[in-house]
Amino acid sequence: MSQSNNIPLGIGLMIATTFVFAVQDGLSRHLAGEYNVLMVVMIRYWFFAAFVVAIARRNAGGIRAAAQTHQPVLQAFRGVLLAAEICVMVAAFTVLGLVESLAVFTCYPLLVAALSGPVLGESVGWRRWLAIGAGFVGVIIILQPGMGVFDPAAVIPLVSASLFAIYGLLTRYAARLDTTATSFFWTGTAGAVAMTLVGLWFWEPMTGTDWIYMMFLCVTGVTGHWLLIRCYEVAEASAVQPFAYFQLAFGAIIGISVFGETIRTNVAIGAAIIIAAGLFTFWRERLQGRANELL
């Protein structure tokens, strides 16, 4: 069955995805502020793994087909790496808040573009290198390393963005031999196993109200991934990916209205530069993709 390319529907689904993920970030910020980050991420992963297994059972071949891989070490490492990235990002929410954490994290597409050459052997032209450089200027503006005493905690979301970029590159590399369904299955199950081995040591009793928040956190996680899958099913990734930046806008609204955060001028300027550089990078990749199709 050929894949459709309903771009308006894809854009709507991507915006809905970013809203759900922003709500998930807000719930993570609250719960991780009250309980250990590892425990919160562990419970979230249990539901994510259940969702992944349910999806695998519905596909042709079932779980056996989804789990079959030519590169188990790589797939397991990808799953553990994403779990670690989520832990780092949730920790950033508790230290810096949603606004600044998400502002820095938006640089991850630029990191992917920068590393795609040395890691995957992909061509990165001088225009995209300029965009990457501009994006990192935006990161520096947000972090303000020369303004008084530099807070090392400001680097936490940058570490998270770096881990997520490496995860994205490894996903591309894994796709050379394994299907998307296989990579998705290993992402959820390997991450759940890793978080269980670590998170159980940090178990804390939760109040009834926070269990409700935890339930919504798990539901938003599953819903967000489902919406993202549907988004990429109905439209080309290059057409909808720029709208992923809506997560920063939704996250900022939640951070300001729920947690009383503020948007500093340097954060707004830096985030605008990063987003502009990221959109230019997506545009160049799309042009290059069309040129390759004509060859």
Side-chain angles (χ1 to χ4, degrees):
M1 180 170 54
S2 60
Q3 183 177 357
S4 61
N5 190 27
N6 189 335
I7 293 178
L9 177 59
I11 290 173
L13 287 169
M14 177 57 80
I15 293 175
T17 300
T18 60
F19 174 75
V20 172
F21 280 149
V23 173
Q24 176 183 262
D25 292 340
L27 291 168
S28 296
R29 186 195 190 287
H30 165 71
L31 290 169
E34 301 292 329
Y35 307 97
N36 188 277
V37 170
L38 298 175
M39 186 191 80
V40 172
V41 176
M42 175 186 67
I43 298 174
R44 169 178 162 180
Y45 253 97
W46 287 347
F47 281 79
F48 179 37
F51 172 68
V52 168
V53 170
I55 292 292
R57 292 183 63 182
R58 293 180 57 187
N59 293 336
I63 295 176
R64 182 184 296 273
Q68 187 173 3
T69 174
H70 300 282
Q71 41 203 351
V73 175
L74 173 63
Q75 291 287 15
F77 180 72
R78 281 183 54 260
V80 174
L81 185 66
L82 181 62
E85 180 273 322
I86 292 174
C87 290
V88 174
M89 193 61 183
V90 172
F93 292 154
T94 65
V95 176
L96 297 176
L98 293 176
V99 175
E100 295 195 22
S101 296
L102 291 173
V104 175
F105 186 78
T106 53
C107 76
Y108 83 83
L110 300 173
L111 290 170
V112 171
L115 294 174
S116 61
V119 175
L120 299 179
E122 298 178 357
S123 175
V124 181
W126 65 270
R127 294 179 181 85
R128 278 196 280 174
W129 276 118
L130 284 179
I132 292 166
F136 286 112
V137 169
V139 173
I140 292 173
I141 291 174
I142 294 174
L143 297 182
Q144 289 185 322
M147 301 296 290
V149 179
F150 175 65
D151 185 3
V155 181
I156 297 176
L158 184 59
V159 173
S160 178
S162 301
L163 292 175
F164 192 69
I166 295 172
Y167 164 79
L169 291 170
L170 292 178
T171 299
R172 285 190 194 177
Y173 188 84
R176 296 177 177 181
L177 296 177
D178 290 334
T179 65
T180 300
T182 295
S183 291
F184 188 57
F185 178 84
W186 279 82
T187 297
T189 54
V193 170
M195 289 310 306
T196 300
L197 292 175
V198 177
L200 283 177
W201 296 95
F202 298 92
W203 185 270
E204 302 176 45
M206 296 178 62
T207 65
T209 302
D210 284 334
W211 271 114
I212 295 175
Y213 286 133
M214 179 63 75
M215 179 189 68
F216 279 114
L217 174 63
C218 296
V219 170
T220 54
V222 169
T223 304
H225 282 288
W226 183 84
L227 287 170
L228 192 61
I229 291 170
R230 286 290 300 142
C231 175
Y232 290 138
E233 284 178 349
V234 304
E236 294 178 353
S238 60
V240 300
Q241 191 61 37
F243 293 88
Y245 287 115
F246 270 82
Q247 185 171 349
L248 174 57
F250 290 134
I253 292 172
I254 294 173
I256 293 169
S257 60
V258 178
F259 298 102
E261 300 178 13
T262 58
I263 301 179
R264 292 183 293 127
T265 302
N266 65 299
V267 175
I269 294 173
I273 294 173
I274 293 171
I275 291 173
L279 291 175
F280 178 81
T281 301
F282 285 128
W283 177 69
R284 289 297 304 175
E285 288 180 352
R286 193 172 186 183
L287 285 182
Q288 188 175 24
R290 287 178 176 177
N292 291 336
E293 290 175 359
L294 295 175
L295 295 179

